[in-house]
Amino acid sequence: MLKLIGFKKINISIFISGTGSNLKNLINHSFKKNSKFKVVLIISNNPKAKGLNYAKKFRIKKKIINYSNNKNAEKKILIELKKNKVNLICLAGFMKILSENFINNFKGRIINIHPSLLPKYKGLNTHQRAIKNKEKYSGCTVHYVNSKLDSGKIILQKKVRILKNDTFKSLSKKILKHEHVIYPKALKKVLFNL
Ligand code: GAR
């Protein structure tokens, strides 16, 4: 395991596929006075991901990875991570599944945010399924990534009430706000334990 030496910041890479609101939020946290991390690399499988604009805005390196072949894509990512001395990976709306081999290369050093109260509603369309099943609560979870989808050890979770008139849109908006609170908190916890 890594040890925090002196005041040296931990280099993190954030993987995205879309809007990047969690990315933006984590970058903003990295600029805070006592922050222990620095975002050194943004990875996206999607060249059209809106979140890529934050690379330019905050002058952070970005790499768009062609995912037509998973194995090659992961190989390229690993090279970039090494080149940029990345210690920890944060998945933030990254819609590709990482292989066991990739995860083993970063054992205990990949975390993800998922928009449900795991272990409930792993995978896609979490809000639609929670509403359809008339759940009273949903939420969001930050967890370590292991080789099973959305199944790694939970770091932090926030429960959110589903109201009768909640739609997919209103619920996802509500939960996203909580994601922006728990992701930096969970990251802080993880960095403390590195
Ligand atoms: C977030 O709600 C995140 O929890 C979810 O994608 C959204 C990304 O939003 N992630 C997953 O569904 C992963 N399985 P963002 O691009 O605005 O951060």
Side-chain angles (χ1 to χ4, degrees):
M1 275 292 158
L2 286 162
K3 276 273 160 254
L4 274 174
I5 303 165
F7 293 101
K8 203 170 179 310
K9 293 197 177 193
I10 292 288
N11 288 341
I12 75 165
S13 174
I14 302 181
F15 290 19
I16 60 163
S17 299
T19 315
S21 70
N22 278 290
L23 163 73
K24 181 185 175 209
N25 181 53
L26 289 177
I27 294 172
N28 280 330
H29 270 80
S30 76
F31 295 142
K32 289 196 171 175
K33 212 173 156 200
N34 294 319
S35 156
K36 298 266 188 293
F37 68 96
K38 185 177 174 200
V39 182
V40 294
L41 180 66
I42 298 166
I43 297 272
S44 176
N45 63 303
N46 174 13
K48 291 188 180 139
K50 245 179 92 186
L52 283 169
N53 293 327
Y54 297 119
K56 198 171 177 195
K57 183 168 179 205
F58 294 109
R59 295 186 188 182
I60 296 169
K61 250 195 194 174
K62 70 167 184 221
K63 212 76 207 173
I64 296 156
I65 303 290
N66 179 341
Y67 247 84
S68 55
N69 176 307
N70 273 24
K71 219 171 169 180
N72 287 343
E74 290 190 345
K75 239 187 204 166
K76 277 187 198 142
I77 296 177
L78 282 172
I79 292 170
E80 288 302 323
L81 294 174
K82 208 167 179 186
K83 227 190 329 191
N84 291 283
K85 297 186 169 58
V86 170
N87 305 125
L88 185 86
I89 297 168
C90 293
L91 307 182
F94 184 62
M95 302 316 249
K96 291 284 173 191
I97 293 174
L98 297 169
S99 71
E100 194 165 353
N101 173 60
F102 184 96
I103 294 165
N104 283 338
N105 270 282
F106 263 79
K107 229 177 183 153
R109 289 187 288 137
I110 310 176
I111 63 175
N112 179 43
I113 185 140
H114 185 74
S116 81
L117 278 182
L118 288 174
K120 276 194 161 182
Y121 304 109
K122 296 171 182 173
L124 299 174
N125 305 319
T126 55
H127 306 312
Q128 291 95 324
R129 286 187 283 147
I131 290 173
K132 199 173 163 213
N133 288 345
K134 300 195 182 337
E135 296 281 1
K136 284 203 169 116
Y137 294 95
S138 187
C140 45
T141 307
V142 181
H143 64 94
Y144 284 102
V145 172
N146 66 11
S147 57
K148 284 193 190 137
L149 183 69
D150 300 327
S151 298
K153 193 174 167 228
I154 290 173
I155 303 159
L156 222 61
Q157 205 162 44
K158 175 72 188 177
K159 205 172 175 181
V160 177
R161 185 96 165 92
I162 303 179
L163 303 175
K164 269 202 180 119
N165 56 355
D166 260 329
T167 60
F168 155 74
K169 222 175 157 186
S170 66
L171 185 60
S172 59
K173 203 172 158 194
K174 201 158 56 175
I175 289 179
L176 197 59
K177 269 193 190 159
H178 291 287
E179 292 187 30
H180 297 161
V181 176
I182 69 163
Y183 211 169
K185 271 193 190 164
L187 178 56
K188 211 170 176 181
K189 235 174 132 178
V190 168
L191 293 175
F192 187 78
N193 290 321
L194 273 184

